[in-house]
Amino acid sequence: MSAQDVVLAASSDSPSLADRLRPHSKGHAHSLPRHAPPLSVSAPNPAGGGVAASRRRRAEVGGGAEAPEQDGGARRRGRDRGSLAGRSPRRPAVKVTAPPRGDAPGPPAVGLVPAPLGVLSLTSSSSRPREDSWLKSLFVRKVDPRKDAHSNLLAKKETSSLYKLQFHNVKPECLEEYNKICQEVLPKIHEDKHYPCTLVGTWNTWYGEQDQAVHLWRYEGGYPALMEVMSKLRGNQEFAHFRKARSNMLLSRKNQLLLEFSFWNEPVPRSGPNIYELRSYQLRPGTMIEWGNYWARAIRFRQDNNEAVGGFFSQIGQLYMVHHLWAYKDLQSREDTRNAAWHKHGWEELVYYTVPLIQEMESRI
């Protein structure tokens, strides 16, 4: 059949090719009448078809059912792209809409995509990228599910010791008297076998917050041991007088209940004299596991001079707090020991990864 036969075979009451390509209203894309049957879009047949087949395909591409315009931007896009069907040498933009179905409010969103010559591409604005795409995996941080509390994952399993860290801000004129009454009363509680607690250490700050006393207690047996000690101290008359005299010397006080990191040294008595550094870190919420993983490797770089005393993390009080306690012979020994760590391969990498986990940090000597 010739191309002329194909053109003449069209029904007399059907719109002509010129009518089908003529815009129905100013500012709208070329389209078929609204009641035209759905158009089937297929790739061109390379076997033949001639001029008439080429024209028929161009008419089908440019005359899709017209979708209601949603806004001014959509109308402008229709105006800009409506004449692409007639420009066969260029890459056509295919406009695809689904016919209304039943009582549906209207056709779905329309997607316009450029297609290469000889290929017709269909797309919809409702398509979404796969959640497991490689691009999304670069920006989404995946958190491994945890089936246990952080305290159980990080604390020592072989002991159930609980630590209490006390900070007492003393009136400057009362610091000497404060130290005197503490030396009289606190060691008695430490030595009494009826109290399941140990005074790990008591210090005054030289550098950091001035006129401050720091006490570290250990309760063998965890929370039950703590409650037992508190109950017995309420009936201890000497301790009651001590607390009353102490209250007149203090400006403020606070405490925290801590657990010990499983990879840190156990605090033990040391021969002196020594200076102690308490380094406190306020971590970003949710980063305690990361901190523990990094410091489980980092602690081996800080054992050469036996400077590591203990490492703790808070359970009650100011949360996501970490305390590292170090011992040195003097300030120069501290400087030399810390500098030596930077000459060990791997230390700088661990510091690099732990610094972003910190919100605030403080050092007390």
Side-chain angles (χ1 to χ4, degrees):
M1 179 183 292
S2 65
Q4 183 177 2
D5 296 334
V6 173
V7 175
L8 295 178
S11 175
S12 60
D13 57 350
S14 299
S16 64
L17 180 62
D19 293 335
R20 297 176 69 182
L21 294 178
R22 181 180 300 114
H24 288 265
S25 61
K26 182 177 181 181
H28 285 70
H30 296 283
S31 60
L32 287 175
R34 293 182 179 274
H35 299 290
L39 297 177
S40 60
V41 182
S42 60
N45 184 6
V51 177
S54 174
R55 291 176 179 175
R56 184 168 60 253
R57 285 196 298 273
R58 289 208 320 240
E60 291 173 351
V61 170
E66 181 178 352
E69 297 296 340
Q70 301 297 328
D71 52 37
R75 288 194 294 271
R76 286 193 298 272
R77 288 195 299 270
R79 227 176 14 248
D80 296 340
R81 292 176 170 85
S83 60
L84 289 178
R87 301 178 184 177
S88 56
R90 296 194 176 185
R91 298 172 61 183
V94 183
K95 179 177 180 181
V96 181
T97 63
R101 182 181 302 172
D103 56 353
V110 177
L112 295 175
V113 294
L117 288 175
V119 179
L120 299 181
S121 300
L122 308 182
T123 186
S124 172
S125 63
S126 62
S127 62
R128 298 178 180 176
R130 293 180 56 188
E131 292 185 359
D132 57 345
S133 64
W134 67 270
L135 182 60
K136 186 174 181 180
S137 66
L138 295 178
F139 302 100
V140 178
R141 177 186 176 189
K142 297 182 179 180
V143 179
D144 295 333
R146 300 291 178 184
K147 297 183 179 180
D148 207 349
H150 290 178
S151 57
N152 294 333
L153 294 172
L154 296 173
K156 289 186 176 179
K157 302 293 185 181
E158 62 272 14
T159 64
S160 56
S161 294
L162 180 71
Y163 290 82
K164 180 169 69 174
L165 187 62
Q166 297 176 308
F167 299 96
H168 292 173
N169 293 316
V170 187
K171 296 177 181 178
E173 66 274 14
C174 299
L175 185 58
E176 185 176 351
E177 184 65 21
Y178 172 88
N179 289 334
K180 181 180 178 182
I181 63 173
C182 286
Q183 291 171 3
E184 292 174 354
V185 178
L186 299 185
K188 294 179 180 179
I189 301 173
H190 166 78
E191 296 168 358
D192 194 332
K193 301 300 183 182
H194 294 89
Y195 293 95
C197 63
T198 302
L199 182 60
V200 177
T202 178
W203 306 273
N204 291 146
T205 56
W206 289 356
Y207 303 100
E209 194 164 356
Q210 295 290 289
D211 302 315
Q212 186 180 72
V214 181
H215 308 287
L216 181 62
W217 293 86
R218 178 171 56 220
Y219 297 88
E220 294 84 0
Y223 293 106
L226 171 66
M227 300 307 296
E228 181 182 350
V229 170
M230 293 178 61
S231 177
K232 291 181 177 179
L233 286 177
R234 281 193 291 266
N236 187 324
Q237 294 299 319
E238 183 180 13
F239 187 76
H241 290 115
F242 162 76
R243 290 192 59 180
K244 184 176 181 180
R246 185 188 66 182
S247 63
N248 296 325
M249 304 176 187
L250 298 181
L251 295 172
S252 64
R253 60 193 180 109
K254 69 176 182 179
N255 59 22
Q256 296 176 356
L257 294 181
L258 315 171
L259 292 178
E260 185 181 8
F261 282 114
S262 60
F263 48 84
W264 267 82
N265 305 20
E266 183 79 17
V268 295
R270 291 169 176 257
S271 59
N274 295 301
I275 65 169
Y276 291 85
E277 180 180 17
L278 181 65
R279 298 179 69 88
S280 302
Y281 305 90
Q282 176 66 61
L283 302 186
R284 299 182 183 277
T287 61
M288 187 65 72
I289 292 293
E290 290 182 73
W291 180 274
N293 288 336
Y294 286 125
W295 265 97
R297 291 180 287 162
I299 190 62
R300 70 177 187 268
F301 295 103
R302 300 295 307 275
Q303 298 284 5
D304 291 350
N305 296 326
N306 196 29
E307 67 267 26
V309 177
F312 314 93
F313 60 98
S314 62
Q315 287 290 284
I316 297 179
Q318 190 170 353
L319 299 179
Y320 284 97
M321 283 292 297
V322 170
H323 301 281
H324 292 173
L325 186 60
W326 309 91
Y328 307 99
K329 293 298 180 183
D330 49 40
L331 289 176
Q332 186 59 50
S333 174
R334 170 187 176 274
E335 180 75 7
D336 296 339
T337 302
R338 290 177 56 80
N339 286 340
W342 288 97
H343 297 286
K344 299 175 182 178
H345 179 69
W347 170 256
E348 73 284 351
E349 179 182 357
L350 294 170
V351 172
Y352 174 83
Y353 285 114
T354 54
V355 166
L357 309 180
I358 302 171
Q359 285 185 333
E360 295 181 9
M361 57 187 300
E362 183 180 4
S363 173
R364 296 177 177 89
I365 299 292

